[in-house]
Amino acid sequence: MENVIEIKNLCKKYSGFELKDINLNVPKGMIMGLIGENGAGKTTTIKAILNVINSYDGQIKVFGKDSKIYEKQIKEEIGVVLDDSFLSEYLTPCDINKIMKKLYKNWDEKLYFRYIEEFKLPKDKISKEYSSGMKMKLKIATAISHNPKLLILDEPTAGLDPIARNEILDIFQDFIQDEEHSILVSSHITSDLEHIADYITFINNGEIVLTKTRDELLENYGIVKCSKEEFERIDKKDYIKCRKNRYEYDILVENKEDFKIKYDIQIIDKPSIEDIMVIYVKGEK
């Protein structure tokens, strides 16, 4: 399978934080979701891909090209939505169009204004006067109107109401329909990724904990709820992490069907991605 992003042994040190040996591939035509706590390393990884942080160790390729050597060519083919947008809130959509025409050789003015109309964004109103959902739609319209092959998104649905979030998720799914476009999206709203992501990568404390397909996580993983006596009979090698609650133990297992057979347990809960993340972070071995 062809990859649009290939990260090998990415390391970056800050005071009090370290990104450690990140290895990650984003397949072409797919949506890769990045999950993890705030400060886990998601945004640092994205900024390394975009080459907007100072020196780091490791290698990053985008579209098969070294991200440092071919930075300008690569960025012509990428649409980016970051929390700290470079666009002033005192610009109107019309102002943004004038600026983008000068920045991108493939800028599509007709496409841009089609999105502005479709998203019902006032053309002559500064974005400072927009709602949160409207501001995000403006960022997305700007990001995809130079016909990029890849979207890189950092928390694109944070702070939005459910209706606005669903509208934006629909945009992302439309973007990859032809299987020629790809998305890397970081989000702490894991329920959004359950709807749109093909793959999930979980980063915790600067390290990748797992990379799986969404279906593997939701269909194969399970949470076993048991008493202390039942828990003490379970071999540690047969579960990933456990979390002790007031009256019972929650045990995260990677293959619920194998676990059922070995321990003759019939009921194993189907976890959400958030459940898996919480037990990984808060649980013990």
Side-chain angles (χ1 to χ4, degrees):
M1 184 181 291
E2 183 181 348
N3 295 315
V4 292
I5 299 175
E6 296 177 338
I7 302 175
K8 293 182 180 179
N9 304 318
L10 172 63
C11 298
K12 175 65 180 176
K13 286 186 178 181
Y14 293 102
S15 176
F17 175 76
E18 182 180 359
L19 206 59
K20 293 164 273 190
D21 286 322
I22 299 295
N23 290 279
L24 174 65
N25 293 329
V26 178
K28 181 180 178 181
M30 302 289 181
I31 298 178
M32 170 68 81
L34 278 182
I35 65 171
E37 293 181 285
N38 290 337
K42 305 187 302 295
T43 299
T44 302
T45 300
I46 285 174
K47 288 186 174 180
I49 295 168
L50 297 173
N51 209 22
V52 294
I53 60 174
N54 293 329
S55 60
Y56 56 80
D57 294 324
Q59 184 183 54
I60 299 175
K61 288 185 177 181
V62 182
F63 310 124
K65 299 175 181 178
D66 187 288
S67 64
K68 291 181 179 177
I69 298 172
Y70 296 96
E71 180 178 1
K72 187 174 181 180
Q73 288 176 249
I74 288 169
K75 286 185 175 177
E76 281 284 343
E77 304 288 350
I78 295 178
V80 180
V81 175
L82 300 178
D83 186 43
D84 50 344
S85 173
F86 69 92
L87 296 171
S88 167
E89 289 193 330
Y90 292 92
L91 295 174
T92 67
C94 292
D95 295 330
I96 291 170
N97 176 62
K98 292 175 185 176
I99 294 168
M100 292 298 156
K101 282 198 293 187
K102 297 176 182 178
L103 292 178
Y104 288 103
K105 62 184 179 184
N106 292 327
W107 180 256
D108 189 332
E109 184 173 348
K110 288 184 180 178
L111 178 63
Y112 173 72
F113 281 112
R114 194 179 83 203
Y115 280 123
I116 295 300
E117 188 172 329
E118 183 181 325
F119 297 162
K120 297 180 173 58
L121 302 177
K123 293 180 184 178
D124 299 314
K125 183 182 285 188
I126 61 173
S127 64
K128 186 177 176 65
E129 297 174 5
Y130 283 7
S131 67
S132 296
M134 292 168 70
K135 287 177 183 177
M136 182 53 65
K137 288 177 182 177
L138 178 58
K139 289 182 182 180
I140 291 167
T142 304
I144 60 182
S145 291
H146 64 285
N147 295 301
K149 296 177 182 176
L150 169 66
L151 282 181
I152 296 180
L153 313 163
D154 192 13
E155 303 290 355
T157 57
L160 303 185
D161 63 70
I163 293 174
R165 277 171 41 214
N166 281 327
E167 288 175 344
I168 287 168
L169 296 181
D170 286 343
I171 295 164
F172 299 156
Q173 288 182 310
D174 288 343
F175 180 77
I176 63 158
Q177 282 305 307
D178 63 359
E179 299 183 0
E180 292 296 317
H181 296 84
S182 315
I183 298 176
L184 174 65
V185 52
S186 159
S187 179
H188 67 270
I189 305 174
T190 54
S191 59
D192 287 351
L193 299 180
E194 287 181 15
H195 286 96
I196 65 166
D198 299 291
Y199 290 85
I200 299 291
T201 291
F202 176 20
I203 298 180
N204 188 45
N205 291 327
E207 297 181 273
I208 289 184
V209 174
L210 61 79
T211 295
K212 301 279 186 182
T213 68
R214 176 193 59 187
D215 291 344
E216 280 182 290
L217 286 176
L218 297 181
E219 299 302 325
N220 295 347
Y221 279 56
I223 295 178
V224 180
K225 295 183 181 294
C226 62
S227 66
K228 181 180 179 182
E229 291 75 21
E230 291 170 321
F231 172 69
E232 288 173 348
R233 294 198 298 268
I234 296 171
D235 193 322
K236 284 188 175 183
K237 72 176 187 297
D238 291 330
Y239 65 87
I240 299 169
K241 289 278 188 80
C242 68
R243 192 178 184 199
K244 185 178 179 182
N245 297 317
R246 188 172 180 183
Y247 299 111
E248 62 185 3
Y249 285 79
D250 288 347
I251 303 171
L252 180 65
V253 299
E254 188 168 357
N255 191 315
K256 62 186 177 187
E257 296 305 321
D258 287 351
F259 195 92
K260 279 181 183 180
I261 294 168
K262 182 170 182 177
Y263 292 98
D264 193 25
I265 292 175
Q266 298 307 309
I267 299 175
I268 298 182
D269 292 346
K270 182 178 179 179
S272 65
I273 292 175
E274 182 176 338
D275 293 332
I276 293 171
M277 188 173 81
V278 168
I279 294 180
Y280 253 110
V281 173
K282 303 294 185 182
E284 300 175 353
K285 186 64 178 175

